[in-house]
Structures are given as structure tokens and as C-alpha cells.
Amino acid sequence: RVVDADGNVLVPGIIDGHIHNREPGLEYKEDWESATRAAAAGGVTTVVGMPNTDPVIDRPDHLELKFERGEASAHVDFQSYAVVTSENIDQIPAIDEAGALGFKIFLGSTVGDVPPPNDGEILEAMERIGETGKRLGFHEENGEIIDHYTEQFQAEGRTKPIDHSHSRPVIAEQEAVERMLTFAEETGAKIHMFHVSSGSAAEAVARGKARGVDVTAETCPHYLWFTEEVMREKGNVARVQPPIRDADEQARLWNALEEGAIDTIATDHAPHTPDEKKVDDPFGNTWDAISGFVGLETEVPAMLSFVDEGRFTLEEWVRRHSTRPAQVWGMYPQKGSLQVGTDADFTIIDPDAEWTLTDRDTLHSKNCVTPFEGESFTGKAVTTVVRGEVVYEDGDVVGKSGYGTRVDVDTE
Ligand code: DOR
Ligand code: ZN
Ligand code: ZN
């Protein structure tokens, strides 16, 4: 580790393997330029965009469009997942050829309403993706369970933010994880669980690893930072899918993380307009509000705050937020390592900086609603370097829009 005279520490470039950059099609929420500006300002050198855009990234030409837009405007390096639906299983080899980092299946409905394939189609998709060498990630919530409780709660007239959370119970997540582990065991596919929110689901991942399934898993800072009480304190601002869980689930998630069940940290950065988030009436009818919030500029501070509290070491943080994501998605050692000389990506952090996010509009996204507004941190990124070029320094994004480029993937 390299430490300068001010006590700042140089670490490999931080990788966020889960952002909703919203371009193409949803640029009123965010675009490549604004998302990667936020990334640079947050100390993040590589981001991976989710496929629930408009059009959804379900064909090679849609992926190419997304890459072209990124090449034109990104500040940091980037990649993208492609989605698998009932309609595009035969296109998996062509999407692979077009350079997707990996694939995602939405098992239950979420923002963007990408329809889940049926179980037979998922098995077939696993076989096909297995042949590409790439990994298949899941929005791992059982949609039938969620739809059932959502309809029931709405019929009962339950409208509080916490009711939205409870309509997506832990069992919906745990069941989806267990089922996909069984499928992966059958097919030999490499799978990944995005945004694991609960100890119950993380423990299921651990059981899968123990029996030899090639499964990796991610969690997000908000599941480690907040408990579901945040729904009573901040209302729909903290509405997210999967929802933030109770203290017991959170404690068990922390245990599973410490024991190695969770490989990677990422944000699920999901910008929406203040109107869509209903910020003027955060405790109003939850069924009118939307799920997701930004995170690119609070992920490094949140994780450094945990390091400061002694929850894990700086090295353990870097492994989960840089090295492991690069390895899991075939970007190592091009990313996630300082071994590539002058071309390296790195982030310089001030681990002692104490600060509070008092005004969300100091963030760089197009829409900045986040439950981390008002939270206090110990630690932040001070300099961000992508392939040897400084893109962020002393509070200013100094890199050029368009400098960021697509990361080549090597899964062979
Ligand atoms: O809360 C969420 N927001 N969960 C998702 O799965 C999607 C995301 C979004 O796209 O806004
Ligand atoms: Zn998801
Ligand atoms: Zn997401």
C-alpha cells in the first residue's frame, strides 16, 4: 500500500459492477456522461451498466448502441450487461460476440418491467451462456410471491413505505437464490446474485458455494448501512428493490460477508427524478413512488466508514470493491490491479476525512435523491485516475467526456 505525506492512500481503481446509467432512452433520469461524472467524483474508475434501458439491451445492436453512446461521453471506463428474456435466448452467442460483460435475468418484475423467462427458458439460457464462458447474474426476487403480497396489501389499503418493503419478503429472495443454485448445479453455469439484501439469501449463497456451485454474490452499501427503520425515518426516498431488511437479517448479512459468501460490493446506482421518488411527500402512498436511488458518490465513503469502525480492513474492502469484481467479470488484471504499470487505474482516498452529505445537489448525477443525504462519513476519494489520466482531483471532475472506453472482457 502507498501512503503519501497527508496520510492519503493509493488503492486499485474502485469498480462498480452495478449501475443504472439509463442511456439509451431514459436520459431524463441519467446518461453515460452524468453517471460517469458521478463515478469519477466518487473515486470509481470502472462502471457496469444494467440493461433495463429503452430499448432494453436484449440484442447485439442495442448493446452496440449503448457502447457507442458510452464511447462518446463517458469519463471513466465502462461495460454493460445484456438481458435475457423469453424472446432472445437464441441471440445469446451474438450478444456475447458483441462484447457484453455478462448477462442478467430479472426473476421478478422491477423497474422497467422486463418480463422474467420461465424456468425451462432459464435452464436453456444457462446452457447457452455456459458455452460463452460468461456469467449470468440475477435480479433474485421471486415475482409470484411479490405480486401476491403486493395485490393483497393494495386490496387492504396499506400504503406506508414499509408496506412496500414487506410486500417483497426475504423468502422471495431466498427462494430465488436456492432455485438458481439448483439450476446452476444442473447446468454447470457460472452465476451471480446481484444486490443480496438479506442474511437468509447470503447464507443460501454460502451453502451453494460449499457444495461447489460456481456462484458469486454482491451486496450494496445501503443494505449494510441502513435497517428497514429507514423506511419509517426517510420514507419512499429509501424505497428500493430488493428492500432494506430488518436488523437480524442485516446482522446475518454482515456475518456472511465476513465469512466470504459475498464477493463484491456495488451500488445499484438507480437515479430517478425527485418527482418519481415523491420527495415532496416521502410518506405518501408508497405504490405511487418508484424504487432505487443514486450511490456512486457515497459508496467509497460508506465503505471507508465501515473500515474506520473496524468492520473490515482496508485490504478486505479493496478486494471486494476492485479486485474481486474484476476477477468475477473477466476484467482482471486489466482492472482491479496496480500491476499494469503507467496504464493503471487507481483511486486515492483520504481515510480520515469527516464529512456529511448535507445537500444532495452537490452530487454530480442528473437526479440525486438518496437516503444517504444527511448521513455522516469518515473517508472519501480525493483523486481518481483512469489509465494513467487524472479524471477527478480536489473536488473537480477534470477529465474529458469521451475519454472513458469500453473494457474488453477475457473469459477464456
Ligand atoms: O430499486 C431498484 N431500482 N431495483 C431494481 O432492480 C431496478 C432499479 C432501477 O432500475 O431503478
Ligand atoms: Zn436488480
Ligand atoms: Zn439494479
Side-chain angles (χ1 to χ4, degrees):
R1 87 155 78 162
V2 183
V3 184
D4 77 6
D6 298 328
N8 294 341
V9 184
L10 184 147
V11 300
I14 297 303
I15 297 172
D16 191 337
H18 187 161
I19 75 157
H20 295 267
N21 66 286
R22 306 298 193 201
E23 187 175 5
L26 301 169
E27 292 86 355
Y28 74 95
K29 294 178 195 268
E30 187 83 302
D31 58 26
W32 273 125
E33 195 281 328
S34 57
T36 56
R37 173 180 287 272
V44 175
T45 54
T46 301
V47 294
V48 190
M50 279 294 165
N52 59 337
T53 46
D54 184 12
V56 291
I57 309 304
D58 60 351
R59 304 195 325 217
D61 56 329
H62 294 167
L63 181 65
E64 281 153 12
L65 173 66
K66 186 167 182 178
F67 286 153
E68 275 166 32
R69 299 285 188 89
E71 294 290 348
S73 63
H75 291 269
V76 306
D77 288 352
F78 60 87
Q79 250 293 353
S80 177
Y81 302 107
V83 77
V84 179
T85 66
S86 308
E87 311 296 324
N88 74 340
I89 294 172
D90 57 337
Q91 301 217 32
I92 285 169
I95 294 168
D96 167 49
E97 282 293 305
L101 186 70
F103 294 85
K104 179 166 186 179
I105 287 179
F106 292 87
L107 292 174
S109 70
T110 183
V111 178
D113 286 328
V114 183
N118 68 39
D119 285 348
E121 291 162 342
I122 294 170
L123 282 165
E124 192 185 336
M126 283 191 181
E127 304 275 8
R128 296 273 182 104
I129 293 169
E131 288 159 15
T132 70
K134 286 182 180 165
R135 193 171 286 271
L136 170 60
F138 292 93
H139 183 104
E140 72 293 29
E141 288 187 292
N142 177 316
E144 290 179 19
I145 296 175
I146 291 165
D147 291 349
H148 172 80
Y149 285 108
T150 303
E151 280 164 35
Q152 189 179 71
F153 286 17
Q154 288 177 343
E156 289 169 358
R158 295 168 60 172
T159 62
K160 292 197 171 76
I162 195 89
D163 294 319
H164 172 267
S165 294
H166 291 169
S167 75
R168 310 181 77 100
V170 166
I171 188 65
E173 185 180 47
Q174 185 186 332
E175 189 282 336
V177 171
E178 306 265 21
R179 185 159 36 103
M180 291 311 113
L181 288 169
T182 305
F183 287 12
E185 196 161 33
E186 172 66 18
T187 59
K190 294 196 267 187
I191 61 168
H192 182 75
M193 299 299 157
F194 291 113
H195 47 41
V196 172
S197 68
S198 62
S200 298
E203 288 161 11
V205 170
R207 290 192 293 273
K209 288 187 173 191
R211 67 181 207 254
V213 179
D214 190 342
V215 57
T216 54
E218 163 197 290
T219 192
C220 313
H222 46 275
Y223 300 122
L224 300 171
W225 189 274
F226 298 109
T227 66
E228 71 173 20
E229 287 310 306
V230 72
M231 301 307 294
R232 298 196 173 88
E233 289 158 17
K234 303 195 183 194
N236 290 318
V237 167
R239 190 189 200 270
V240 64
Q241 300 169 176
I244 294 165
R245 307 298 186 179
D246 67 25
D248 173 61
E249 287 289 348
Q250 189 198 49
R252 286 163 49 212
L253 177 63
W254 268 107
N255 279 340
L257 176 79
E258 281 154 14
E259 285 166 17
I262 304 290
D263 298 85
T264 65
I265 305 288
T267 54
D268 200 359
H269 177 89
H272 296 291
T273 66
D275 186 51
E276 290 172 316
K277 288 296 289 174
K278 304 289 171 203
V279 283
D280 293 338
D281 185 19
F283 299 98
N285 190 332
T286 192
W287 311 109
D288 297 335
I290 200 163
S291 287
F293 42 77
V294 297
L296 277 161
E297 290 169 81
T298 49
E299 61 183 310
V300 168
M303 300 315 287
L304 286 173
S305 300
F306 292 135
V307 171
D308 181 64
E309 287 167 16
R311 302 295 309 246
F312 38 70
T313 65
L314 194 79
E315 286 72 16
E316 286 163 341
W317 164 62
V318 169
R319 183 156 50 82
R320 294 194 177 91
H321 220 153
S322 179
T323 318
R324 280 299 284 151
Q327 291 168 338
V328 165
W329 296 106
M331 297 186 283
Y332 189 85
Q334 187 190 353
K335 302 295 182 191
S337 159
L338 291 173
Q339 308 301 316
V340 284
T342 53
D343 254 6
D345 295 343
F346 54 90
T347 303
I348 300 176
I349 53 157
D350 176 353
D352 305 315
E354 293 191 11
W355 66 286
T356 301
L357 180 59
T358 48
D359 175 3
R360 66 173 188 261
D361 289 323
T362 56
L363 302 175
H364 293 77
S365 280
K366 270 194 197 174
N367 289 287
C368 299
V369 179
T370 168
F372 283 98
E373 188 173 26
E375 300 295 308
S376 295
F377 306 94
T378 302
K380 66 175 183 191
V382 290
T383 307
T384 309
V385 176
V386 177
R387 283 174 287 109
E389 293 288 326
V390 176
V391 297
Y392 172 80
E393 191 167 34
D394 297 333
D396 293 315
V397 176
V398 295
K400 281 201 203 68
S401 167
Y403 173 73
T405 191
R406 170 165 72 101
V407 183
D408 285 328
V409 197
D410 179 11
T411 48
E412 304 319 316

